Amino acid sequence: MAKVLEGPGMGLMKKWGIHVPQYAVVTSADELSKLGHVNDWMKQSKLVAKAHEALGSRFKLGLVKVGLDLTGAVAATKEMIGRQVGSITVSQVIVSEMIAHKEEYYCAVKSTREGSEILVANCGGIEVESNWDRVKRLCLDVGQAPSHEALEKLAKEAGFTGSLAKKMADFAGKMFSCFDSEDAQYLEVNPVVTRESDGELVALDAVTLLDGDAKFRHPDWNFQFAAEFGRSYSKDEMEVMAVDSKIKGSVKFIEIPGGDTAMLPAGGGASVYYSDAVVARGGKLANYAEYSGDPPDWAVEVLTEKVCSLPGIKNIIVGGAIANFTDVKKTFGGIINGFRKAKGDGKLKGVKIWVRRGGPREKEGLDAMRALKDEGFDINVFDRNTPLTDIVDKALHK
Amino acid sequence: MSILANKDTRVVIQGGAAGVNAARRMAEFCYLIKRPLNVEAFVYPPDAGKTNEVPYGSGLIAIPIYKTIAEATKNHPTINTSLVYIGADRAMKGGMEALDDAHIKVVSMITEGVPEKDAKLLGAHARKLGKVFNGPSSIGIISAGACRLGVIGGAFDNLVLSKLYREGSFGVITKSGGLSNEIIWICSQFADGITTAIGIGGDAYPGTDYVSYLEMFENDSQTKAVVVVGEMGGDLEERAAEWYGAKKRRVKLIGVVSGFCQESLPKGMKFGHAGAKEGMKGEGSARSKSDALKKSGAIVPATFGALGPAIKDTYQELLKSGQVKEPVEPAVLPRLPKSIEEAMKADEVMVAPLIRTTISDDRGDEPCYDGYPASELINKGYEIPHVIGLLWDKRLISKQDAEIIKRIMMLSADHGPCVSGAYGTILAACAGIGLSQSVAAGLIMIGPRFGGAVTDAGRFFKHAVDNKMTVDEFLTYMKKNHGPVPGIGHRVKSLRNPDKRVKELVGYVKSLSIKTPCLDFALQVEQVTAAKKDNLILNVDGTMAAVLVDIGFPVDSLNGFFILSRTIGLIGHWVDQKRQDSRLIRLFDYLVNYAAPKRREVPPLK
C-alpha cells in the first residue's frame, strides 16, 4: 500500500471529474506570493493553508490555518515551512480556496476481498466518526461497476433526498471510477460539501492509498509515496529501499528508535515471528528487517551495515527458517562482509550475534558464521535442530 | 492421499529462467520418489519451438517450449496444472490464459508484486469456472510422496530430512514461503510428516483462502490435522476460525498467528508481506485472529516455538486413538547424483584433463601470466613486450630486450596498402566483411613469400652460428638443401635503395652492449649475397629473426612477432575502409591476361 499526499490525491480525483477546490502545493512563501500574482482565485477567495506532509492531527499542531487572505496565507506558509514535528520537517504547504458551504457529507471507496465497497453518509467531518452507523455501504464484486440506480439507492439509504441524492450518486460513481481506474486501495473524502455558488458537490479533502505494485501501468504517477507511519524515512531506510528496488528478491529495513535488539532475519513471514518473540520476551526492537527471495550478497551486506549502525544495540538476531531457494552460504557471505566492515569501523563492541538458519548450502553458511568466532566476534550459531525463535529466548535470557 | 497436487498432476510452466529452475527442483523430487518428471511443457513465447533441458538423475530431459497454453495442452492433453512464473506486469494475462484452457484445473502463481486488482480478478474468474487459483506470491504446493509444484521443500537434502518421500498425516497452509518449509520440517520431526503443504502467498487478497483448502483437507481421509500459519492483516484467519467452529470437523486445526509485536510498534509499520497490515480499527490484528482461532476450538500455541510440541501432542493422540500408525521408512532412498564439480570437491572422482596448459591461469579474480597477476605486472611498470615474453617464452625479459621488441613491433606494424596482407584485408573490407574475418584474410597471406620468413630465417642463421659455419659453407649448405636463404632479398629494396627499417634496427641493436652472433652472421651473409646481386640484401624479416634469436626467443615463436605487429596495421586498414564506406573492389578485365582457350562448342554428353 502506498499513501499519496493530499495534493496528488486531489489531482487524481480531478482527473476523474470530481470537483475539488483550486489548490497549489508550494515549497516557500515566496513561491506562493508569485503564484498569487498570476492566479485570480488566490486573490478573490478565502484560503486554507495546510502542511503538506504525512502527519496526523495537523489541526492540533497548528499546521492547518483557515479563512486567510493571500497575505495571511503567505505568512502561514512562512511559519509552517521548516517546522520540525518529530522526525518530519515540513517542506511543503498546500494552499486551497475555501469553499463556502453549510452541510458536510462523507464518501469513501475501499478494497475488499470480493472487490470493493462504496461508503456514503449524509454527515461528514468529525460527526461521521462518532456516528459510524449512519454510513451506508454498497458492496461490489471485482470487475463489476455500480449502476446509477444502485448508487442512487445507496444515497437514499444514507438519507439523501431529491436532486441531492442524484448528485451524491453521481459523486460516488466518480469516486468509484477513480478508485477502479487508478488501482486505488482506499479513497476517502471527508467532508464532501455542497458549494454554495453553484450547488455542486466538492471534495474538500482526499485520503488516497494506491497499490504501489500497479505503478507499471500508471506512467502519470509522477509523485512520491509518503511514509505511512507518521514520519519520513531515514537516510539508511531510503538507502535500503533504493537497493530493494534494484534487486531480484528483497531487502527491507525500518528503524525503531530506542530499542536494543537488532533484527536481521530472513523471510517476510519468519521475520515477524522473530519480532513477536522479542516483544514476548520483554525485549525492545531496534528495527524491523528482512531479506528474502535469494537476494544478491551485496544487498544483504548493505542491509547488515545498516543494522550494525543502529545505536545502542546489545544483540543482533540473524534468524531464519529453512529456506526453499535462498542460498544460505551466499547470503551469509553478505552478512559476514557487513559484520567485518562494521567491526573495522569500530562498531559491534559488546554486541552479541545470534544465528539460526536452514536451507540450500546451510552447512557451509553456518560453518562460515561459526568461523567468525576466531575473528573475535561474540557469535552463537545454531542449525535447523534448534527451533526457529529459540535464539531470541537465549539472547534475551537474563 | 493428498489434495490439489497428486500423482496424476501434469504441469505446464509459464515463464523463463525462474520456471526452468522450478522444473529442475521438481525433477529432483520426482527422482526422489521414483516417478517420471511431472513437467510436460513450458510456455514462453521468446523461446517457442526450442526445448529446456531439465536434469533428472544423471540424465537430461528435453521439455518443449510453446508459444501459447493452447498449443501446449493440444500437444500434451494430460496437462491439468499450470505454474505461472511471468513478470508482474504480464502475470494476469498469463494466469487468465491458463484458467481459460479447458484442460487446466489448477493455476498456481509464483509471481510477486502482482497488483491487488489483478489477483482479485484471477481469483474471481477461477471461482466462476470452478477451478483453483493459488497465489500470487506462492512458494508452491507439495504433496509428500506424490507431487511437487514449484520450489517448495527446498534443496534435495531437505526433501530427505523432511521425509517428503512418503506421506504423513498433517496438512499445512501458510502465507510465507520460508515458513512452509519450516513447518514441513517440524511436522517430520515431531510427527509423521505432511500430506500436502500449500503456500497461499503473502498478498492481501490471495486467490484461494484457508477455508477452501480446509474443506479439501477435511475431505482427504489421509489428512488428520491441519497446521495453519497466519499473520496479521486481512481476515483469512478469522474466516478459518469461523469455518472450524461452525460444526464438528474431522480434522484437527492447529494455528499460529504472527504480528503480536504490532501492539508495541509504530502504527502502520510495513512488514515483509503485502498483506501483513492491520485494519483501521484493530480488525486483522494478531490478537483478534489468535482469539478467534482459540474460540473455534483450534489448538493455538502461545508462540511459534511451542508449535513443535503442540504438533507432537496431536500426533501422540492420533497414535493412541489408532487413527494413525507409525510410518515405515523405506530402507534405501535414491541419492541425487553429484555434479562433477561436487564429486571432485569431495575427492570422489578423478578426471583426466582434456588439455594441458603451462602459460596462464584464469581461475582467480584476474588472469595470471606464467604465474604473475596481470594487475601486478601493470603496477610494477611492465609492458606489452614483457607479456609477450611471459606467454611466448615463459620468462620475464629485461627492460632492454623489451625495448628491442617494442621497436621491432613499431617498425613492422604496417607497410602500406599494396602488400599482400593489407590488400587482402582491404579487399575483404570493401566486400563488407567484418573485422575479424577481414583481418584473418590479411593474416592468411603471411607465408613464405610475405612476412612469413622470420621463423625460417632465424632457424637457418642459428643453425649456421651453432655449427660455426663460414658464410661460404652456409650458402653452399642452403643451396644444396633448401634453396634461397630466407631473410635475404627484397622485391623493391636494394643496396642503393636500402630499407630504412633494417638500418634503424641494426643501428639500435649494435649500439647496445649485447652479443649479437646471429645478426653479425646475417650481415656477413648480406655482404656476400648483395655483391652477387644488388637486391639480395638482409631484409626486415631476416633482421628481426637474427635479433630475436640473439635475445633468446625460440625459433618457433619468431613469425609471431610479424603476425602480431602486422595485425595492428590490418585492423587499421579495415577501420579505414569501413569509415570511408568504400565500395566493392572488382578487377578490371584489362588487368587480366585472359590466357584461357577461345570460346568453343560444347560436345554432346557421352
Side-chain angles (χ1 to χ4, degrees), chain B residues 165-315:
Chain B
Y165 45 80
R166 54 121 187 100
E167 63 182 359
S169 311
F170 287 71
V172 176
I173 316 173
T174 72
K175 288 182 180 172
S176 152
L179 288 178
S180 67
N181 241 4
E182 188 74 24
I183 304 294
I184 293 170
W185 158 252
I186 291 175
C187 286
S188 72
Q189 303 303 302
F190 289 89
D192 62 351
I194 65 150
T195 51
T196 300
I198 305 156
I200 66 168
D203 287 8
Y205 301 107
T208 307
D209 60 2
Y210 293 138
V211 171
S212 313
Y213 291 133
L214 283 169
E215 279 286 355
M216 292 184 203
F217 277 128
E218 177 77 3
N219 293 323
D220 171 46
S221 59
Q222 177 69 29
T223 304
K224 304 296 190 295
V226 181
V227 184
V228 168
V229 183
E231 57 189 30
M232 78 211 139
D235 62 355
L236 298 188
E237 292 80 2
E238 284 88 339
R239 290 189 193 209
E242 203 180 299
W243 174 87
Y244 193 64
K247 65 177 197 190
K248 175 93 187 94
R249 301 293 178 182
R250 187 186 58 78
V251 290
K252 290 179 190 297
L253 182 62
I254 304 169
V256 278
V257 183
S258 69
F260 285 92
C261 60
Q262 185 83 10
E263 291 167 4
S264 50
L265 288 183
K267 250 195 139 35
M269 180 164 280
K270 204 168 180 171
F271 283 106
H273 291 151
K277 190 151 190 315
E278 203 180 323
M280 317 263 163
K281 300 195 158 41
E283 81 260 21
S285 73
R287 196 161 299 278
S288 83
K289 288 171 186 299
S290 183
D291 288 349
L293 283 167
K294 269 184 215 160
K295 229 175 98 186
S296 74
I299 301 159
V300 185
T303 61
F304 195 92
L307 188 58
I311 288 171
K312 188 176 182 180
D313 290 348
T314 306
Y315 179 59

Side-chain angles (χ1 to χ4, degrees), chain A residues 49-216:
Chain A
K50 299 185 230 177
H52 196 236
E53 300 292 345
L55 282 167
S57 36
R58 283 177 295 180
F59 217 95
K60 274 186 212 154
L61 292 164
L63 292 173
V64 178
K65 295 272 165 71
V66 299
L68 309 166
D69 59 8
L70 183 57
T71 322
V74 170
T77 302
K78 198 164 198 164
E79 194 191 304
M80 288 180 201
I81 295 272
R83 250 189 73 183
Q84 189 77 28
V85 183
S87 65
I88 292 187
T89 310
V90 176
S91 61
Q92 293 185 335
V93 169
I94 180 166
V95 175
S96 50
E97 59 169 334
M98 274 188 87
I99 304 288
H101 64 274
K102 293 201 182 76
E103 300 296 320
E104 297 193 333
Y105 317 114
Y106 174 89
C107 182
V109 187
K110 74 183 237 196
S111 183
T112 64
R113 178 164 163 69
E114 285 70 27
S116 56
E117 231 176 31
I118 304 176
L119 290 77
V120 169
N122 78 336
C123 56
I126 318 163
E127 209 189 334
V128 72
E129 283 167 32
S130 45
N131 292 287
W132 202 246
D133 55 324
R134 285 171 67 184
V135 175
K136 299 298 167 204
R137 291 151 196 268
L138 172 63
C139 294
L140 296 163
D141 285 336
V142 65
Q144 184 197 355
S147 67
H148 197 81
E149 292 71 41
L151 288 167
E152 210 173 315
K153 191 167 156 261
L154 171 70
K156 282 180 177 156
E157 271 169 27
F160 293 91
T161 54
S163 66
L164 190 57
K166 277 202 165 61
K167 275 184 183 162
M168 195 63 213
D170 185 48
F171 186 92
K174 285 172 178 169
M175 285 274 284
F176 177 82
S177 299
C178 178
F179 175 91
D180 194 47
S181 313
E182 296 292 338
D183 276 295
Q185 291 170 322
Y186 188 66
L187 283 187
E188 184 187 77
V189 176
N190 186 23
V192 183
V193 303
T194 306
R195 184 156 61 195
E196 286 188 343
S197 58
D198 59 1
E200 292 293 342
L201 290 178
V202 180
L204 281 202
D205 185 34
V207 176
T208 310
L209 291 170
L210 300 179
D211 182 353
D213 286 332
K215 195 169 192 303
F216 67 83

Side-chain angles (χ1 to χ4, degrees), chain A residues 189-377:
Chain A
V189 176
N190 186 23
V192 183
V193 303
T194 306
R195 184 156 61 195
E196 286 188 343
S197 58
D198 59 1
E200 292 293 342
L201 290 178
V202 180
L204 281 202
D205 185 34
V207 176
T208 310
L209 291 170
L210 300 179
D211 182 353
D213 286 332
K215 195 169 192 303
F216 67 83
R217 58 185 172 213
H218 297 283
D220 61 331
W221 287 3
N222 54 1
F223 37 78
Q224 280 210 319
F225 297 132
E228 284 173 60
F229 42 95
R231 68 166 173 86
S232 47
Y233 292 115
S234 74
K235 189 173 146 283
D236 281 0
E237 287 169 349
M238 285 201 279
E239 279 179 36
V240 176
M241 269 187 259
V243 170
D244 187 45
S245 68
K246 270 187 280 203
I247 57 164
K248 168 187 82 75
S250 86
V251 289
K252 301 268 187 307
F253 180 68
I254 289 169
E255 296 168 10
I256 307 171
D260 58 11
T261 305
M263 307 302 285
L264 187 49
S271 59
V272 186
Y273 279 101
Y274 276 104
S275 301
D276 281 358
V278 171
V279 172
R281 267 270 167 190
K284 288 191 82 181
L285 294 166
N287 70 304
Y288 170 77
E290 177 263 333
Y291 65 92
S292 55
D294 202 25
D297 51 356
W298 63 265
V300 186
E301 183 178 329
V302 171
L303 178 65
T304 305
E305 283 178 64
K306 304 302 176 200
V307 169
C308 293
S309 303
L310 291 163
I313 54 171
K314 294 188 183 128
N315 292 291
I316 300 179
I317 306 294
V318 187
I322 299 164
N324 289 288
F325 64 99
T326 296
D327 184 323
V328 174
K329 177 162 190 241
K330 188 187 72 178
T331 45
F332 271 16
I335 293 179
I336 288 169
N337 285 342
F339 281 159
R340 284 188 181 138
K341 260 194 201 157
K343 193 157 179 278
D345 295 344
K347 290 166 191 159
L348 296 180
K349 277 189 189 124
V351 176
K352 286 185 158 58
I353 300 167
W354 303 85
V355 180
R356 188 273 183 187
R357 187 70 162 137
R361 298 212 287 167
E362 61 188 43
K363 194 182 170 299
E364 293 98 314
L366 291 167
D367 284 347
M369 279 284 185
R370 270 186 208 104
L372 283 183
K373 249 193 183 140
D374 303 333
E375 295 176 34
F377 286 92

